Amino acid sequence: ADSLTPPLSSISKAINSTEAPVKEKHARRIILGTHREKGAYTFWSYALGLPLASSSILSWKFCHVLHKVLRDGHQNSLQDCMRHHSSLIEIGQLWGNLHDKYGQLVALYSKMLCTKMEFHVKHPEIRANLEVTDEVLERAAGTDINNVFQLTVEVFDYMDTELRVAETVLRQLNTSIAISTLTAGQCRLSPLIQVIQDCSHLYHFTVKLLFKLHSCLPADTLQGHRDRFHDQFHSLKNFFNKARDMQYFKRLIQIPKLPDSPPNFLHAASLAKHVKPVVVIPDEPQDDEDDDPEPLIEVGDVPTASSAPTQQFDIFDQTFGAPNGRFDDRDQQIEGLKRDVEMLRAELERVKAEAQRYITQLKSQINSLEAELEEQRAQKQRSLVENEQLRMELEATRRRNAEHESVQATFSEADKRAQATEQRYNKLKDKHTELVADHADLLRKVLAHSLTHYLARWPTDLLAHSLARWPIGSLTLSNVSSNPMSLLLFTQDLTMWESSDHAGMELSGSMTSLQAEKERLMRSVSEKEAELSSLRQSALAEQSSLQVEREKSSRDLGNLQSMLQEKVSQLEQLKQKLLEEQFSLLQGTVSEAENIIQDAVAKLDDPLHVRCTSSPDYLVSRAEATLASIDHVKTGHAHFVKDMADAGALVRALTQFSHLAADTIVNGSATAHTAPVDHADRLTENCRSCAVQSLAYLKELKEQASVRRADPAAVRLIVQKILHLGQELRPKGSDVRQDELGDMVDKEMAATQAAIDEAVRRIDVSSPRLIFIKSATLKEFYARNSRWTEGLISASKAVGWGATQMVESADKVVLHTGKYEELIVCSHEIAASTAQLVAASKVKADRNSTRLTVLQQASRTVNEMAANVVASTRTGLENLEEKDTMDFSGMSLIKLKKEEMESQVKVLELESQLENERLRLGELRKKHYGIAGAALVSDDNGVSSSASSPSHGSSLSPRLQQKPSVMKKPNLAQKPSLPPKSMVGPA
């Protein structure tokens, strides 16, 4: 079992000055420790004491472990590491100024880690392992193009620091003779595994962001971005190719291949061809155990009967001889256990290999499905582009039709104007004809009347003489009056006779006025005829033009109608294709969701899953999240039913639902492992029912005929049952009010103290009795096992003392007179004392002792409770620290500078006090160990030392020397003693 905090021994083994790569098991224990303590406080408290300035290899391995903690540790580790940002910068600057190969690597590595921390603190939605979806990246970039531009620059800087580390390592490895199969080369190469993981994600981020920038900004503006990306692309591809050819990486990581050429950001459709590079990390086989075993006191690390080290049997037997003459039996049992362990180890390796094979297959399936999903997304993008083009063409066609209709209206209006003009021309023509006829008739009447009047007055001889002079003398008077031309000639002749008669004067005047009227009428007729002729020509020309335009419009309309029909047909085909693609995308998502649910169900029957446990609180949170995801699924399904051309919302909701449902099933099963039998059976059955109902619902979504009526109501009902069971399994103490918490702690701790005292009393009385039955007399038993008896009693009293100290510390914290750190130290002491009590009990206990099993279970419970106390205490400290907000908005520049100087002075004073306190703690421990050694010597001479011996034996010294603590220990002389490590061993 992993300890509560990062095992200090694992930190010391992972970070040392030996030129060898960091072992994966040590790094894994450190990472698990950060998750247990919800931060990297213990890691940094130990790391600050490392001599990083004296060894470049030590600093290099420290940076490697820190990189792992940032990537895979608890999310609070980033804030804990950021508090030591300046220290990391100082280490990098120190080694950067020295001419040392590892020193140059440390300088680059520390700069890269500082850049990584700064980036993720600024963008907390992007986790430090960079494993986020495209939607999260979109939210981080935002809608402001300036923010997208700035984020792209930051990702470029991030990638540059990673590539500089990789290039420097490979360059040093090439210049030196070291190869990747030697430990010296592996020491340099091992951090590149995390660099490869980071670079693959950063490359994907850069491509996505650059395509988004090119969709909003001109290409010339982004020329610098494209040039920088091309340089990084070629550097990254060269790095991946070199690493892929090295033997060291082939068993540790599967490095993706980049395309032959970088994406063309000037062509938006190239985004569909982009495939996200996926790095696959096979499960690392368990490393061989180190020569030096882990310290005994590791919180939560209690050895089981099947895995206890056999060397303590040898120590016990060499010191006291074989108990009850069963030396040979013990050897045979040990040999048998060794063979069983080897068989189990081989079986475990086989199971792990099989599991790894399944995991590799599943990862390859995931990769293929992701590639298929990307292809479907690209097809969707292309369809959207084609739909947009068709929509634009349709709009243009509609505009042309509107223009054509406008032209037709203009032609109709011109035709109407031409017809109106022609009608006016006909009316004018008729009017002109009528006027001419009236004029001629009037003229004829006037001439006839005037001629008759004047002829009557003329002498007959004169009239005859005049008529004789006319060329048409044969005309009669009636002919003269009816013939205009004759009348005109006659009138002209009469003018010659004006002087002879006054009547001639009157006739001449009348004739002149008539002539003037005639000329005016003739001019008016000529003007009207000219205007009519002009209107006719204009009407004919306009009619001809209108006819030509009509014919052209008719042809264009026919062509447009045929094109429109063709586009409508294509649009219908594209809509049908889009519907098919969307449903295909939905089917692919449903298939993947089914695989996730089925994988979760398979874990219920997996033997390896039996040892997994989960808390009811976490199960309740998972069930609530699943219920919320079911609401999203219903919303997305309703949207899809209305518009089956858009399955995006349903696909996203199904993806979230499948993961949360699988998480609920797995955690429900894990919670059932520690629940009462009745609750465990119901919880397991509901988990299976949840999987069955989820698969049934997904099957309905997968079929075209049943997709519209699919309803997740049955799934919701089962998840609600799981939620209720999780709430029932919650500890009842969580319902206690805040004001009752102190009284409850007092009662519980008082009961615990009484139980511990009773256990000490029973151990004092019962243990000699049981041993006396199997041994000779009571006197002989004390003579042979006095030190063991004293150690057992001392260990029991140590547990009681630790419980008492914790109660007192809790009272002080409640009264605001104590420190949270005292609770943490007391928790560690209780867990350590409990572990030694179990170890001391196992020395004389039988292998199949039921009481020993109960004691071991109680020890594990104590460890878990101590872990909860430490976690709650750290949470309280974090809450108190968060409440202490700092507001410097009202300070002036001088005031701020003064406060800064005072803060620096206080930091120096506290660091000096911390260093002095550490020296004092070291001296106290030396004195403690000296007293313990003297007590052991006096005990060997026959003197009892139970009253003056320390709380722990010499086996505690490695643990205490490595455990950083600034808290002063209580008076050790008041605590009962524990036996030395040589007396403590497994049964």
Side-chain angles (χ1 to χ4, degrees):
D2 295 298
S3 61
L4 172 65
T5 58
L8 301 183
S9 60
S10 298
I11 299 177
S12 63
K13 291 175 182 178
I15 306 174
N16 52 52
S17 58
T18 304
E19 193 174 8
V22 176
K23 287 191 176 182
E24 185 63 24
K25 68 171 186 177
H26 298 150
R28 184 164 53 248
R29 288 176 183 173
I30 296 171
I31 292 170
L32 290 176
T34 63
H35 287 279
R36 294 290 295 274
E37 73 168 0
K38 299 180 180 178
Y41 174 82
T42 303
F43 170 77
W44 275 103
S45 63
Y46 182 86
L48 291 176
L50 293 173
L52 298 178
S54 62
S55 173
S56 57
I57 297 178
L58 184 70
S59 301
W60 173 252
K61 297 175 78 170
F62 164 75
C63 291
H64 184 195
V65 175
L66 178 59
H67 196 177
K68 282 178 169 287
V69 169
L70 287 173
R71 278 188 53 83
D72 303 325
H74 192 270
Q75 59 183 2
N76 294 338
S77 301
L78 176 62
Q79 297 296 334
D80 292 340
C81 295
M82 197 63 189
R83 295 188 182 99
H84 304 281
H85 180 271
S86 58
S87 301
L88 191 60
I89 292 178
E90 292 175 359
I91 292 297
Q93 292 176 348
L94 171 66
W95 285 109
N97 296 327
L98 301 178
H99 298 286
D100 181 272
K101 290 187 177 181
Y102 270 103
Q104 298 299 319
L105 293 178
V106 171
L108 293 174
Y109 208 167
S110 60
K111 183 178 180 181
M112 185 269 285
L113 292 176
C114 290
T115 303
K116 184 180 185 70
M117 291 189 291
E118 293 165 0
F119 178 86
H120 293 290
V121 167
K122 185 175 181 181
H123 304 284
E125 60 273 11
I126 301 178
R127 295 179 294 182
N129 60 4
L130 297 171
E131 294 179 357
V132 296
T133 60
D134 293 343
E135 289 77 11
V136 175
L137 181 63
E138 287 287 339
R139 289 199 301 269
T143 56
D144 188 354
I145 195 63
N146 295 320
N147 295 338
V148 179
F149 192 93
Q150 180 62 29
L151 179 60
T152 308
V153 173
E154 292 171 0
V155 173
F156 276 139
D157 296 338
Y158 197 163
M159 175 76 87
D160 281 339
T161 58
E162 300 267 0
L163 291 176
R164 275 197 291 270
V165 174
E167 291 169 357
T168 307
V169 170
L170 295 179
R171 185 171 60 253
Q172 287 192 10
L173 202 64
N174 290 335
T175 56
S176 65
I177 308 178
I179 57 176
S180 62
T181 57
L182 300 180
T183 56
Q186 293 176 0
C187 184
R188 288 184 173 93
L189 289 175
S190 56
L192 297 189
I193 294 177
Q194 282 71 46
V195 174
I196 292 172
Q197 290 177 297
D198 288 348
C199 289
S200 63
H201 292 292
L202 292 175
Y203 169 78
H204 177 66
F205 292 172
T206 308
V207 173
K208 286 288 186 180
L209 292 173
L210 282 178
F211 270 112
K212 187 170 184 178
L213 283 176
H214 279 79
S215 65
C216 302
L217 295 177
D220 296 339
T221 307
L222 301 173
Q223 182 62 43
H225 277 42
R226 291 196 298 274
D227 295 339
R228 192 173 182 185
F229 174 81
H230 289 170
D231 295 339
Q232 288 189 353
F233 174 84
H234 295 297
S235 299
L236 182 62
K237 186 175 182 180
N238 186 33
F239 166 44
F240 279 7
N241 291 338
K242 287 183 179 180
R244 197 181 299 108
D245 295 334
M246 290 187 177
Q247 188 66 29
Y248 174 71
F249 292 109
K250 290 185 177 179
R251 68 181 184 89
L252 299 177
I253 186 173
Q254 296 180 11
I255 304 173
K257 290 185 178 180
L258 297 182
D260 296 334
S261 59
N264 183 9
F265 298 107
L266 301 178
H267 190 253
S270 299
L271 178 60
K273 301 178 182 178
H274 169 67
V275 178
K276 179 180 179 181
V278 179
V279 177
V280 179
I281 303 291
D283 286 350
E284 180 72 15
Q286 294 293 334
D287 297 332
D288 296 332
E289 294 297 330
D290 293 322
D291 296 334
D292 52 334
E294 292 287 330
L296 176 62
I297 302 178
E298 286 286 334
V299 181
D301 190 5
V302 181
T304 61
S306 61
S307 62
T310 59
Q311 60 180 0
Q312 296 187 7
F313 284 111
D314 301 333
I315 296 174
F316 180 85
D317 294 337
Q318 292 174 8
T319 307
F320 300 98
N324 300 326
R326 294 187 297 174
F327 182 81
D328 295 337
D329 294 341
R330 287 290 179 90
D331 285 345
Q332 293 177 1
Q333 292 176 3
I334 291 171
E335 293 299 328
L337 289 174
K338 286 183 177 179
R339 288 192 296 271
D340 293 342
V341 168
E342 292 298 329
M343 292 175 60
L344 291 174
R345 185 174 295 169
E347 181 66 19
L348 181 61
E349 292 297 330
R350 187 188 64 79
V351 172
K352 285 184 177 180
E354 186 70 16
Q356 178 61 33
R357 186 171 63 83
Y358 287 142
I359 290 173
T360 305
Q361 292 178 355
L362 290 174
K363 286 182 177 178
S364 62
Q365 291 178 4
I366 290 172
N367 292 337
S368 62
L369 289 173
E370 286 181 351
E372 184 178 353
L373 182 60
E374 289 295 334
E375 180 63 24
Q376 291 177 352
R377 288 177 178 172
Q379 291 179 359
K380 178 184 177 182
Q381 187 67 24
R382 289 195 296 270
S383 300
L384 292 176
V385 172
E386 292 177 357
N387 289 342
E388 184 64 21
Q389 293 177 351
L390 288 174
R391 188 186 65 79
M392 294 174 63
E393 292 180 0
L394 183 59
E395 290 294 332
T397 302
R398 289 175 178 174
R399 286 195 300 269
R400 287 196 296 269
N401 289 339
E403 293 174 357
H404 175 70
E405 292 176 357
S406 176
V407 170
Q408 283 186 334
T410 304
F411 290 163
S412 300
E413 184 178 356
D415 192 10
K416 291 179 180 179
R417 288 200 304 269
Q419 291 177 359
T421 302
E422 188 173 0
Q423 290 177 359
R424 288 197 301 271
Y425 168 75
N426 292 331
K427 288 181 180 180
L428 288 174
K429 184 179 179 181
D430 295 339
K431 189 68 174 176
H432 175 262
T433 303
E434 182 179 356
L435 288 174
V436 170
D438 292 343
H439 176 69
D441 187 46
L442 180 60
L443 182 60
R444 198 167 35 250
K445 290 179 179 180
V446 170
L447 290 175
H449 176 72
S450 300
L451 183 60
T452 303
H453 176 69
Y454 286 106
L455 288 179
R457 297 174 58 191
W458 286 358
T460 303
D461 54 350
L462 182 59
L463 181 60
H465 175 73
S466 298
L467 291 176
R469 292 176 53 202
W470 293 349
I472 49 173
S474 59
L475 292 177
T476 61
L477 183 58
S478 59
N479 291 333
V480 171
S481 61
S482 61
N483 190 345
M485 183 60 66
S486 301
L487 183 61
L488 180 58
L489 295 175
F490 181 69
T491 303
Q492 291 176 354
D493 190 36
L494 288 177
T495 54
M496 297 174 61
W497 305 331
E498 286 178 353
S499 57
S500 61
D501 193 15
H502 180 70
M505 295 292 292
E506 293 180 359
L507 181 60
S508 177
S510 298
M511 292 298 294
T512 302
S513 61
L514 289 175
Q515 185 67 26
E517 180 66 19
K518 178 181 177 182
E519 290 178 357
R520 186 183 63 78
L521 290 175
M522 291 297 292
R523 284 194 302 270
S524 177
V525 170
S526 299
E527 290 174 0
K528 294 297 181 180
E529 287 181 349
E531 182 180 357
L532 182 60
S533 177
S534 176
L535 287 174
R536 282 180 177 177
Q537 293 177 357
S538 176
L540 291 175
E542 190 171 357
Q543 187 175 5
S544 175
S545 176
L546 179 62
Q547 184 65 27
V548 172
E549 192 65 28
R550 280 180 179 176
E551 294 176 356
K552 182 180 180 182
S553 299
S554 178
R555 291 194 301 269
D556 292 343
L557 182 60
N559 295 332
L560 289 174
Q561 288 177 347
S562 61
M563 291 175 60
L564 180 61
Q565 292 296 330
E566 183 179 357
K567 294 298 182 181
V568 169
S569 176
Q570 292 178 358
L571 184 60
E572 291 296 330
Q573 293 176 0
L574 288 174
K575 285 183 179 179
Q576 184 63 30
K577 184 178 180 182
L578 179 60
L579 292 175
E580 294 174 357
E581 290 178 351
Q582 290 293 305
F583 192 73
S584 176
L585 176 63
L586 177 61
Q587 287 180 327
T589 305
V590 170
S591 299
E592 182 62 22
E594 289 176 343
N595 293 334
I596 294 174
I597 299 295
Q598 290 170 355
D599 180 67
V601 176
K603 290 181 181 178
L604 300 182
D605 301 323
D606 191 349
L608 298 177
H609 182 65
V610 175
R611 300 185 63 182
C612 297
T613 59
S614 180
S615 65
D617 289 332
Y618 187 70
L619 175 60
V620 169
S621 67
R622 296 295 85 194
E624 291 175 347
T626 305
L627 290 175
S629 69
I630 293 175
D631 294 335
H632 295 162
V633 169
K634 290 191 67 176
T635 303
H637 180 262
H639 178 73
F640 179 70
V641 169
K642 291 181 180 178
D643 183 12
M644 302 191 72
D646 184 11
L650 182 57
V651 167
R652 289 190 296 270
L654 283 176
T655 303
Q656 183 189 35
F657 163 73
S658 61
H659 285 90
L660 290 175
D663 204 8
T664 301
I665 293 169
V666 173
N667 283 280
S669 175
T671 305
H673 294 160
T674 58
V677 177
D678 184 30
H679 285 78
D681 293 340
R682 284 193 291 161
L683 191 56
T684 304
E685 183 63 28
N686 283 327
C687 289
R688 295 185 185 277
S689 299
C690 179
V692 172
Q693 295 296 336
S694 299
L695 291 174
Y697 172 65
L698 293 174
K699 184 178 180 181
E700 290 182 349
L701 290 177
K702 202 173 182 180
E703 300 296 334
Q704 186 77 40
S706 59
V707 65
R708 291 182 176 274
R709 65 171 183 271
D711 188 5
V715 182
R716 173 186 288 278
L717 182 62
I718 296 297
V719 175
Q720 287 176 343
K721 291 182 180 179
I722 296 175
L723 175 63
H724 295 327
L725 287 173
Q727 292 173 344
E728 291 178 3
L729 291 174
R730 277 179 167 173
K732 303 303 180 183
S734 61
D735 299 331
V736 180
R737 297 197 309 270
Q738 188 71 22
D739 55 355
E740 299 176 356
L741 186 58
D743 297 337
M744 183 177 180
V745 171
D746 291 339
K747 293 178 182 178
E748 292 296 330
M749 295 309 297
T752 303
Q753 181 65 43
I756 292 173
D757 293 340
E758 178 65 19
V760 172
R761 185 186 65 78
R762 292 179 64 187
I763 290 173
D764 292 341
V765 176
S766 302
S767 297
R769 183 182 300 122
L770 293 175
I771 298 174
F772 178 76
I773 294 174
K774 295 183 180 181
S775 183
T777 63
L778 180 62
K779 182 177 181 180
E780 180 182 0
F781 175 80
Y782 276 120
R784 292 183 56 191
N785 303 289
S786 59
R787 293 175 64 188
W788 175 83
T789 306
E790 292 172 0
L792 186 65
I793 296 173
S794 178
S796 302
K797 291 182 178 180
V799 176
W801 174 85
T804 303
Q805 290 297 113
M806 175 172 281
V807 174
E808 295 177 358
S809 300
D811 290 339
K812 292 178 181 179
V813 170
V814 172
L815 296 175
H816 302 287
T817 59
K819 299 180 179 179
Y820 281 92
E821 289 78 7
E822 293 181 2
L823 286 176
I824 296 176
V825 174
C826 289
S827 301
H828 283 276
E829 292 296 334
I830 290 175
S833 300
T834 304
Q836 283 211 343
L837 177 61
V838 175
S841 301
K842 290 173 65 176
V843 173
K844 293 296 183 180
D846 292 335
R847 291 182 56 189
N848 300 322
S849 174
T850 57
R851 294 184 178 180
L852 179 61
T853 304
V854 174
L855 183 60
Q856 290 175 339
Q857 181 62 35
S859 174
R860 284 191 287 269
T861 303
V862 169
N863 288 337
E864 292 176 358
M865 295 299 103
N868 292 334
V869 170
V870 173
S872 301
T873 304
R874 293 194 185 281
T875 303
L877 281 172
E878 293 175 357
N879 292 336
L880 290 177
E881 291 175 356
E882 290 175 358
K883 292 179 181 178
D884 187 13
T885 58
M886 300 181 184
D887 186 10
F888 306 112
S889 58
M891 292 186 179
S892 63
L893 179 62
I894 302 300
K895 183 68 175 178
L896 286 172
K897 188 63 177 181
K898 182 180 178 181
E899 291 288 337
E900 179 182 358
M901 294 178 62
E902 291 177 356
S903 179
Q904 289 178 350
V905 172
K906 189 173 182 180
V907 168
L908 293 176
E909 291 175 354
L910 291 176
E911 288 178 350
S912 177
Q913 293 177 10
L914 177 61
E915 187 64 24
N916 293 334
E917 197 65 24
R918 282 179 174 168
L919 293 176
R920 184 170 180 273
L921 179 60
E923 293 299 327
L924 287 173
R925 288 173 176 168
K926 290 181 181 178
K927 186 65 176 177
H928 170 207
Y929 300 144
I931 295 175
L936 291 176
V937 172
S938 64
D939 190 33
D940 291 337
N941 295 329
V943 182
S944 177
S945 59
S946 62
S948 60
S949 60
S951 61
H952 302 289
S954 59
S955 64
L956 296 181
S957 58
R959 171 73 177 181
L960 294 177
Q961 287 175 351
Q962 295 174 358
K963 181 178 180 181
S965 176
V966 297
M967 180 181 175
K968 182 179 178 181
K969 289 177 63 68
N971 187 1
L972 298 177
Q974 296 178 2
K975 294 177 60 181
S977 63
L978 288 179
K981 185 174 181 179
S982 60
M983 288 295 297
V984 182

